[in-house]
């Protein structure tokens, strides 16, 4: 093509606002895994239905509260043969428990039930009740041999701290394999992107303000496939006698964690890892979590503290906008 002709054509495109047409995103919302999920998928519309189906089938396997799930059967019978995906996630949950020194604990369910979170019948336990539930908590009470899991008597499993990240990661892989151009999946506090946004702009994910969760205290901007998962004390809680009791429990004390953190956001390639670590680093507190990050190389983090400070690890800092923050160095 002659240069002048190309220049005229380009000018015409700019003037008329034409250009390569950006594909439309298909959007859907659903309620699953006890949370509102929203999907934005660029590609064939059938990918939305396919993703919804995958989320529902994972919920049916992994939820501790739906009667026939693998996890509910394991908790009820003390032993169960698991579907491959459940066994895969349970193994990753146990690995996360080992890696975080038990800060992430998939056997925390007796404590979660004692506080009344699954039923909504909230209760502040007595010391004796806590001691009783703590005796039935700890990864040493759970054995996994291939697809067969077994629990000690009185113990039970809760994958609520890691299942949404796993589900997002599985859906992202499926979307990549089935030809999606790009996607952003938001499953409660779990965001997972697939590839970069077709219009070339960055993905933008807000980190909720713990004092006003409907607004963002900071925005993370990035391109490509990533998981970004937040655990916060504002996401699920009840109040009694003016005290707020939230849903992330310290497996050492059995009580809601109180260490000055309001939220932890993890950025990682793996959604499962990001979800497990968001819960674990919340339990660790800022100081221990920072040391843990320094000894790791597979994630970055943003911490929000009770005094309103924002701390970002070295790799997260360049992505963080719309806020003032302190950078944590390696
Ligand atoms: P997340 O929002 O990912 O931090 O997960 C919180 C959920 O994980 C809670 O609602 C409980 O079901 C469960 N959970 C609470 N404390 C822990 C813990 N220390 N380790 C693992 N799971 C936990
Ligand atoms: Mg988590």
């Amino acid at each position: 093509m002659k240069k002048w002709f190309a220049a005229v054509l380009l000018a015409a495109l700019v003037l008329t606002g034409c250009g390569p047409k950006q594909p439309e995103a298909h959007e859907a919302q659903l309620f699953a895994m006890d949370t509102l999920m929203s999907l934005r998928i660029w590609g064939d519309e059938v990918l939305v239905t396919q993703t919804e189906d995958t989320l529902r089938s994972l919920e049916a396997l992994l939820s501790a509260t739906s009667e026939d799930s693998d996890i509910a059967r394991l908790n009820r019978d003390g032993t169960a043969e698991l579907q491959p995906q459940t066994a895969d996630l349970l193994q990753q949950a146990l690995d996360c428990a080992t890696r975080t020194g038990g800060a992430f604990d998939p056997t925390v369910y007796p404590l979660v039930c004692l506080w009344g979170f699954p039923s909504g019948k909230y209760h502040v336990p007595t010391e004796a009740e806590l001691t009783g539930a703590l005796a039935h908590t700890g990864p040493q009470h759970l054995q996994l041999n291939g697809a067969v899991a077994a629990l000690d008597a009185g113990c039970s499993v809760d994958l609520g701290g890691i299942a949404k990240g796993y589900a997002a990661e599985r859906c992202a892989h499926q979307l990549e394999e089935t030809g999606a151009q790009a996607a952003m999946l938001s499953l409660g506090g779990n965001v997972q992107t697939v590839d970069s946004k077709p219009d070339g702009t960055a993905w933008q994910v807000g980190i909720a303000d713990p004092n006003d969760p409907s607004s963002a205290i900071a925005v993370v901007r990035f391109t490509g496939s990533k998981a970004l998962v937040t655990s916060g004390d504002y996401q699920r809680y009840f109040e009694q006698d003016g005290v707020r009791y939230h849903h992330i429990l310290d497996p050492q004390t059995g009580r809601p964690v109180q260490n000055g953190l309001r939220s932890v956001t993890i950025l990682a390639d793996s959604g499962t890892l990001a979800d497990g670590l968001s819960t674990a680093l919340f339990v660790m507190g800022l100081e221990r979590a920072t040391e843990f990050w320094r000894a790791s190389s597979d994630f970055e983090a943003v911490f929000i503290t009770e005094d309103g400070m924002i701390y970002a690890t070295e790799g997260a800092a360049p992505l963080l906008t719309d806020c003032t923050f302190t950078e944590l160095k390696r």
Side-chain angles (χ1 to χ4, degrees):
M1 194 190 300
K2 289 217 166 68
K3 263 195 196 146
W4 64 267
F5 182 70
V8 169
L9 188 65
L10 181 67
L13 287 175
V14 170
L15 286 173
T16 56
C18 303
K21 201 169 171 284
Q22 298 294 341
E24 292 277 311
H26 301 288
E27 301 191 7
Q29 287 202 331
L30 67 154
F31 193 83
M33 295 183 160
D34 221 11
T35 196
L36 185 65
M37 304 184 164
S38 53
L39 318 176
R40 251 181 114 194
I41 298 171
W42 285 261
D44 197 305
E45 200 168 359
V46 75
L47 298 175
V48 175
T49 323
Q50 169 199 285
T51 304
E52 286 175 334
D53 291 347
T54 301
L55 289 167
R56 297 235 181 262
S57 68
L58 286 171
E59 177 184 38
L61 287 179
L62 304 173
S63 160
T65 48
S66 68
E67 256 176 50
D68 284 331
S69 76
D70 275 4
I71 297 303
R73 282 190 303 111
L74 171 62
N75 289 344
R76 188 187 58 221
D77 302 339
T79 182
E81 182 156 357
L82 308 172
Q83 294 296 313
Q85 291 176 340
T86 315
D88 175 26
L89 178 56
L90 200 53
Q91 187 57 59
Q92 293 195 58
L94 283 167
D95 294 345
C96 189
T98 306
R99 179 175 169 185
T100 61
F104 183 88
D105 185 345
T107 69
V108 80
Y109 204 47
L111 288 163
V112 173
C113 292
L114 183 58
W115 287 90
F117 284 105
S119 63
K121 291 181 185 141
Y122 300 118
H123 164 69
V124 178
T126 63
E127 275 305 324
E129 286 173 327
L130 281 174
T131 309
L134 281 167
H136 295 108
T137 304
Q140 72 277 11
H141 295 296
L142 169 64
Q143 281 77 45
L144 181 63
N145 288 311
V148 179
L151 280 165
D152 292 345
C155 300
S156 50
V157 162
D158 174 14
L159 296 177
I162 198 166
K164 289 196 285 286
Y166 180 76
E169 184 174 339
R170 296 289 305 203
C171 290
H173 286 157
Q174 191 180 40
L175 284 165
E176 277 162 6
E177 283 162 10
T178 49
Q181 193 181 349
M184 176 181 267
L185 313 176
S186 178
L187 318 185
N190 292 243
V191 173
Q192 176 99 37
T193 59
V194 174
D195 218 309
S196 291
K197 241 170 127 183
D199 68 3
T201 61
W203 296 116
Q204 296 187 37
V205 182
I207 297 180
D209 180 348
N211 291 321
D212 177 14
S214 60
S215 69
I217 199 169
V219 177
V220 185
R221 287 173 215 266
F222 59 95
T223 54
S225 303
K226 248 207 185 340
L228 193 145
V229 179
T230 300
S231 287
D233 67 357
Y234 56 87
Q235 289 173 340
R236 187 164 296 182
Y237 62 89
F238 68 95
E239 280 173 350
Q240 191 172 304
D241 302 327
V243 182
R244 184 189 269 225
Y245 300 95
H246 68 81
H247 69 140
I248 304 174
L249 304 178
D250 184 338
Q252 293 297 314
T253 65
R255 297 177 179 282
V257 172
Q258 274 193 313
N259 56 21
L261 282 178
R262 298 292 319 271
S263 79
V264 176
T265 299
I266 303 287
L267 289 93
D269 291 340
S270 157
T272 315
L273 179 82
D275 197 359
L277 291 184
S278 71
T279 310
L281 270 64
F282 191 97
V283 173
M284 289 180 195
L286 182 60
E287 214 168 299
R288 255 180 78 204
T290 305
E291 285 314 311
F292 183 87
W293 164 74
R294 288 200 175 106
S296 308
S297 57
D298 52 359
F299 73 94
E300 300 294 334
V302 179
F303 303 95
I304 300 175
T305 58
E306 262 165 23
D307 51 11
M309 295 284 286
I310 302 175
Y311 297 87
T313 59
E314 220 170 87
L319 312 179
L320 205 55
T321 61
D322 302 52
C323 68
T324 309
F325 64 89
T326 303
E327 186 174 333
L328 299 166
K329 299 281 185 192
R330 281 230 175 256

